[in-house]
Structure formats: C-alpha cells, structure tokens
Amino acid sequence: MRGKAAATPTSLSLEPLLLSRDGQPWQERIELVRLTARSQALYCSAVQIFAATTPESLYEAVLSAVSSLLRVDLAALFLIRDKDGRPACRALCIGHSTVVFDAAEAPTTAFADAALAATAPLTIEAPNPLLCDLPSSFNGAQAPAVLLAVPVRSGSEELGLLVVGRRKGFSFSPDQVGLLQGLADQTSLALEKLRVVTAAAEQGRRAQELVSIASHELRTPLTALQGFSELLLSREVSEEVQKSWISLINQESVRLGSLIGELLDLTRLESGRVELNLEPVNLRDVAEHVVSLWRGEGRRSRLSIRFQAGVPCLRADVCKLTRVLANLVSNAVNYSPPGAPIRIEAAPRCLARPSTLHLGPPGSEDAPCPAGTSIAIRDRGVGISQEDQARVFQPFYRAAPLEGDGSACPAGKPSGAGLGLTIARRLVEWHGGLMWVESCPGKGSTFGFCLPLHPPRRSASGTALTPGAIV
Amino acid sequence: MKTVLVVDDEPTIRALVNAILDGSGVRTLEAADGPEGLDMARRYQPDLVLLDVVMPRMDGFAVCQRIKAESSMARTPVLLLTALAQESDHQRARRAGADGIVQKPFSPAVLRATVESILNGGKKG
C-alpha cells in the first residue's frame, strides 16, 4: 500500500475568451476552449499512464488522472482476476491518496460485478443497496451518493472497470462519462503494453537462465569426450581398455547429440515459435502408439492402458501429444524398478485429487483445472519428495534416487537430458492444458495433465498465449 | 600411498578421473553424491578431495564448506571440478574454502599435474 498525491494539470485559461471579438458566438468559443483544455488534460494523463513501468505505478497514474480530471471523491480500478473472473479492486484513490492492493487481497464488490455484467457504463445513485456493498476503505466517513463504472476493454476482452464516485451532489454528465471512457481506453492500452513488456522481459530472463544451465550441461559430456580422447592419444593401453574408453566416448557423444536436440526444442517452446497442427485425435491411438515404443525392449508387459468411458476425441497436435505421453512414460520407466507396472489412464474428467495443484504458467502454481479430458501416467517407482515436486519441471532437474535405494534405478542414474518433463509441460500448456503431479516417496508417482475440450485460439505469431504473460 | 576421493554424480566423469590418475601412484575412492562424499571423507581422511559442484541432494559448495568446518579435515585440500563458468561461481567456491578450481572440460594432463603438485608439494592448485 502506498500513497501518492494526485497531480494533473486541469486549470482552464480564460485568455481565449477575451479575444472573442470576431462575431463567433461565445458559446461556441467556450466549447472550443473546453475541448482544448480537455484534450490537453487527456494528453498529459496519457503521457503519465504510458510512462508507467510497473503495474502499481500504472494504477496510480490512472487514478490520479481520473480524480483530477473528473473532480471526484473516489476513483477505483478493478481488474478481472483469473481465479473466478470477478473484477477485484486493485487500486483505490480517495481524495489525494491512492492505495494499491495485492492481487491476493484485492476486494470485490457487488457493484463492480453488476457493472461488469452490464458491459456498458453503469451509474447508480442513492438510495441503492449496492452503494453500501463497498470495501470498508471505500466508505470512509461517508458512503458515496453516486457511482459510475465504465468497462476497461482490450478488443472484445474485458480487462476490468474504472469506477468513480461522489459523496454528494449530482450525477455524471454524458460528457464526463465519455471522458472516463477515454481514460478507460488509455488504461487498457497501457495494460496491454505493460503485459507485452513484462512477457518479453520474462522470456529474456528465462532464455538467459536456459543458456547458463545448458552451457553447464554441455560441458559434462564434453569433459568425457576431451578427457578420454586425449588419454587414448597419449597413453599405451590394452585393447580392452581402449574399447571401454571408446565406448564411453560414443555414449557421451550420443548423449550430447540428444541434449542439443532437446535444447533446441525447448528454446523453440520458450520463445513462442511453436505451431500446433490441430486435428481430431483419438487419445487411445496415441496411448497405444506410446506403449508400442517400449515393446521392442521387452517392457511391454509393464505398460497398461485404462480408459474410462466417454473420453472424447481431442483437437490437438498428434505429434506433440505423443511426445508428451512418451516423455512422461520415459520418466516413469527411468524412476521405477525394472518390471514395475506403469499405467496410462484417461478420463473425461479431472483425474487429480482435489488437493492437487494444477501447475499454471510460471508464478501461478495453482491454476484452475481447464476441465475437459484428463490423462495420467501412474508408476510404482521411487516417488518424489514434496520439496522436489516443485522442481521436477525445471530444465535439467533430475531427482536423486531416494536415500539408501540402490534397486530403483539400476543404472545408478536416470538416462535422459533432464528436459523431458520441462518439454512435456510446455507442450501441454501450448494446448491450453495444465500439468499436475502427485507422489509419495517410496510408493510411486502420477504425472497427469488436463486438456480443455477446445484448445485456445492463438494469434498467427503464436505470441498471444505464450505462457507467463500475466500482469 | 596417497588417497584421492572423487565425488561426482556422473559415473563417466568418475571413470575418467580414475583413468587419469591411474599409474600416478595414488589410490582413488569414489562417491556419487554430496552426502556420500562427506561420509567417505570423514571415514577415509583422504589427502585430496576432487569435488563436482552440481550434484543432487547436496552441492559441491556445501560439501566443501562442511569439510573445511570439521577440525579433522580442515587442512584437507579440496579441488572443485566444475562446469559452472561464471565469475560468481568462482567467488562462491573461494567463499566455501576451496583450494582450487578445475574448469570442465579439462585436459587430463593438466588435471594430473595439478593433483600431483598438490599431493607432493602441498602447493595449492
């Protein structure tokens, strides 16, 4: 919470009035002066609003402009919250001080709900019960006698509301409603700008982080390649030793190759250069195909499929969906004892327990389930501790085999670059779905995801729905 | 015979270090993660610890710090073998008390020379 004095130039110059000796009606002249003053004020407010570099400073600039241009007792900015689509008050200006609320504690009001439903400017005057249903900080000493709300929209998308109120006196003129709507439009543009800027910054930060981790991961196989090849060149060793070193060089170069391939895929996903080839997909076909990938290695018996009745045909990118399933199955295989059963389940409803969090884009680890279809891969492997569950989707994160456990991962260390789960999660998000994980150390893990019935439409550039772009 | 403890979660790297030190008259011990490495360091009191940095359960910085904090091992030289390449990582290594850093990928000849100089002259790499 912070306070800030409102400051926007509003004074009218009387000078032009004195010059009106050319026969032009005074009324027209006054109107012209009024319009000029208003455009100047709007221009000044736009400059301030667009200069904001954080959501908080944007809210403050908007309310400061609204309060001084419309001379109101209170002004508030409501934004639609993700949780339930209700408008929540993110900033409130009373007199000259502005209070900014965190997303978690932003209050809602019945008036704002009604105004959002009205989808057009809504005015209420005393006596009206909605006037009393305001956050306590709204009311102060005296409840407002009149409230006006205008929608803040970006295209057809509702972003929120701009609300103004007076404690006494008269209702708002059509002119003032128009002025408030103008400010609401500026607000929506500025919010959009901030959203794009924030998403770009976040994307840059993630790319940087990926480069830094990737360079580390690439150095390990390189160390083996350089080390063993130099030893081969400089030492006389038996043929048997030579062979074992060459086989290690071969193993590490294969690993390096797959690591680079996965890194490129992840980079594409992170930078938004992904095209989904959406088509009707029969999920059972995908599951059976994934099971067949493991058949050649005698592991077929451990993989089973269980589909509940009513699993609908999905609209999805079949290659990418196959990859998601294959990555999750591969993870289950890596973290289970040999032969332990792994089951692919699907249902026309969410398969996660009610207490399980759906992992949203970074920063929102508890997103609402997109409903639709749910797919889960259940294993009876080593399981993941609560602490590690938060990290398994990070690039290159590999959970350690559990304490004192030698049997679960016979190879000692799971294979794979450590990018499988990260890529799976991103691919699910590109389909508008969300990933979740349930696990009990020692008993096994379930990795699941829920997909919406209709994947979201995205812009041609693919940037509109880049995960993580929320102000 | 001097003892060198190699702590790395990558079996290939442990095999490489073993091969590099083979024939230099040292005994090598291996540990696959931080806690195991710490445990073996306490038990076998090696003459040198070669320590990977990024490992599950406990990273190399933490292992190094613990080794340097225990009176029986405080003087044991610790050489970090790391793929982390940033200056901030090197600062962390110094703060953790490491006696030297060998950047991955490394040349076997360089690693062997560094290890021998630490073991023979007490000179720190």
Side-chain angles (χ1 to χ4, degrees):
Chain A
M1 306 235 266
R2 75 207 72 189
K4 190 182 175 183
T8 303
T10 51
S11 58
L12 282 177
S13 164
L14 292 175
E15 203 172 310
L17 293 174
L18 303 173
L19 300 173
S20 183
R21 296 185 189 280
D22 54 2
Q24 194 178 13
W26 287 106
Q27 216 164 355
E28 240 176 63
R29 178 62 76 155
I30 291 168
E31 178 66 9
L32 186 66
V33 171
R34 210 176 51 76
L35 275 174
T36 311
R38 189 164 127 182
S39 344
Q40 276 176 355
L42 266 175
Y43 173 74
C44 292
S45 71
V47 169
Q48 283 190 3
I49 290 171
F50 278 90
T53 51
T54 62
E56 292 76 17
S57 60
L58 170 62
Y59 306 159
E60 283 173 3
V62 168
L63 295 191
S64 153
V66 169
S67 306
S68 51
L69 283 172
L70 285 157
R71 294 170 204 251
V72 288
D73 297 314
L74 72 86
L77 176 65
F78 285 73
L79 293 177
I80 306 283
R81 62 182 182 195
D82 291 339
K83 190 165 67 174
D84 51 9
R86 281 185 75 187
C89 181
R90 299 301 302 274
L92 171 65
C93 176
I94 296 181
H96 291 295
S97 65
T98 303
V99 174
V100 175
F101 297 97
D102 282 344
E105 54 189 44
T108 56
T109 72
F111 170 66
D113 290 339
L116 187 75
T119 71
L122 176 71
T123 309
I124 56 168
E125 290 175 55
N128 186 319
L130 288 180
L131 285 171
C132 302
D133 178 42
L134 295 171
S136 52
S137 45
F138 249 69
N139 290 321
Q142 192 188 348
V146 53
L147 280 177
L148 162 67
V150 298
V152 177
R153 268 194 206 114
S154 170
S156 60
E157 189 194 355
E158 300 280 357
L159 300 180
L161 298 162
L162 208 46
V163 175
V164 289
R166 288 196 180 115
R167 295 201 196 284
K168 297 186 228 184
F170 43 91
S171 189
F172 293 94
S173 68
D175 226 26
Q176 288 172 318
V177 176
L179 183 58
L180 188 62
Q181 188 61 62
L183 287 165
D185 294 345
Q186 283 182 2
T187 307
S188 107
L189 283 173
L191 281 170
E192 199 56 39
K193 176 209 126 189
L194 204 55
R195 178 144 67 174
V196 171
V197 169
T198 312
E202 169 65 14
Q203 203 168 306
R205 193 192 58 75
R206 271 158 63 173
Q208 190 60 45
E209 194 179 272
L210 189 61
V211 166
S212 143
I213 311 174
S215 76
H216 171 264
E217 291 292 319
L218 292 170
R219 280 168 194 270
T220 300
L222 271 178
T223 306
L225 294 186
Q226 183 182 346
F228 284 114
S229 57
E230 270 189 47
L231 285 179
L232 278 171
L233 287 170
S234 63
R235 281 198 199 166
E236 295 287 330
V237 287
S238 70
E239 200 175 319
E240 193 190 345
V241 171
Q242 270 188 26
K243 256 195 177 159
S244 77
W245 287 356
I246 292 172
S247 104
L248 283 171
I249 289 177
N250 179 257
Q251 175 193 313
E252 292 300 312
S253 31
V254 170
R255 177 169 145 195
L256 197 56
S258 71
L259 182 57
I260 290 170
E262 294 215 319
L263 259 176
L264 282 175
D265 288 345
L266 186 60
T267 312
R268 270 190 219 110
L269 283 167
E270 296 280 6
S271 64
R273 292 196 305 274
V274 179
E275 289 212 359
L276 291 186
N277 183 17
L278 296 177
E279 55 184 329
V281 173
N282 182 341
L283 200 53
R284 183 175 275 277
D285 290 347
V286 175
E288 277 171 4
H289 173 65
V290 168
V291 168
S292 76
L293 295 176
W294 269 267
R295 190 179 293 151
E297 297 174 45
R299 290 172 181 151
R300 187 182 183 201
S301 56
R302 65 189 300 195
L303 291 171
S304 62
I305 299 175
R306 184 198 282 177
F307 273 47
Q308 290 184 17
V311 174
C313 188
L314 291 173
R315 266 188 75 71
D317 183 313
V318 68
C319 294
K320 296 191 170 65
L321 198 60
T322 306
R323 178 125 187 238
V324 171
L325 237 59
N327 283 7
L328 296 181
V329 167
S330 162
N331 183 69
V333 168
N334 275 335
Y335 285 95
S336 301
I342 293 164
R343 196 167 65 212
I344 303 176
E345 283 182 26
R349 54 174 184 85
C350 184
L351 282 167
R353 287 189 215 114
S355 59
T356 301
L357 301 185
H358 286 71
L359 305 171
S364 61
E365 301 292 86
D366 184 12
C369 176
T373 310
S374 190
I375 296 120
I377 284 80
R378 298 190 196 276
D379 68 54
R380 292 198 206 151
V382 292
I384 310 160
S385 68
Q386 194 69 36
E387 188 194 359
D388 281 346
Q389 283 176 33
R391 294 200 291 245
V392 288
F393 292 102
Q394 287 172 7
F396 300 112
Y397 183 78
R398 294 188 198 91
L402 295 177
E403 196 92 40
D405 182 62
S407 62
C409 298
K413 191 180 170 80
S415 62
L419 290 174
L421 291 180
T422 316
I423 290 176
R425 177 175 173 182
R426 290 277 171 272
L427 287 173
V428 166
E429 284 168 2
W430 277 97
H431 278 90
L434 294 175
M435 200 98 194
W436 45 268
V437 57
E438 290 166 354
S439 188
C440 182
K443 294 198 172 153
S445 308
T446 301
F447 282 86
F449 56 99
C450 298
L451 294 173
L453 280 178
H454 303 287
R457 288 212 319 255
R458 58 192 67 235
S459 70
S461 65
T463 52
L465 285 164
T466 301
I470 296 167
V471 173
Chain B
M1 190 184 262
K2 303 251 173 155
T3 307
V4 176
L5 172 62
V6 185
V7 189
D8 200 308
D9 60 327
E10 291 282 345
T12 317
I13 302 294
R14 295 201 301 272
L16 174 66
V17 175
N18 251 324
I20 291 170
L21 298 182
D22 187 34
S24 62
V26 296
R27 181 168 71 122
T28 50
L29 298 169
E30 291 181 30
D33 63 25
E36 192 188 344
L38 200 55
D39 191 44
M40 288 182 76
R42 283 189 191 118
R43 203 177 321 157
Y44 297 101
Q45 298 286 321
D47 299 287
L48 169 66
V49 180
L50 296 180
L51 192 56
D52 180 27
V53 174
V54 179
M55 291 183 288
R57 301 215 285 165
M58 189 193 287
D59 70 21
F61 296 129
V63 176
C64 183
Q65 229 160 8
R66 302 265 195 110
I67 288 177
K68 294 293 178 181
E70 290 189 19
S71 56
S72 64
M73 298 189 288
R75 296 170 69 87
T76 307
V78 175
L79 201 55
L80 290 177
L81 303 184
T82 178
L84 296 174
Q86 289 178 7
E87 180 51 33
S88 57
D89 301 317
H90 291 203
Q91 283 172 4
R92 268 188 85 185
R94 282 193 286 276
R95 277 202 303 275
D99 297 81
I101 297 169
V102 174
Q103 180 80 53
K104 287 179 188 171
F106 48 77
S107 157
V110 172
L111 181 68
R112 186 165 167 154
T114 311
V115 168
E116 282 173 353
S117 89
I118 293 177
L119 291 178
N120 297 333
K123 202 175 119 195
K124 291 170 182 180

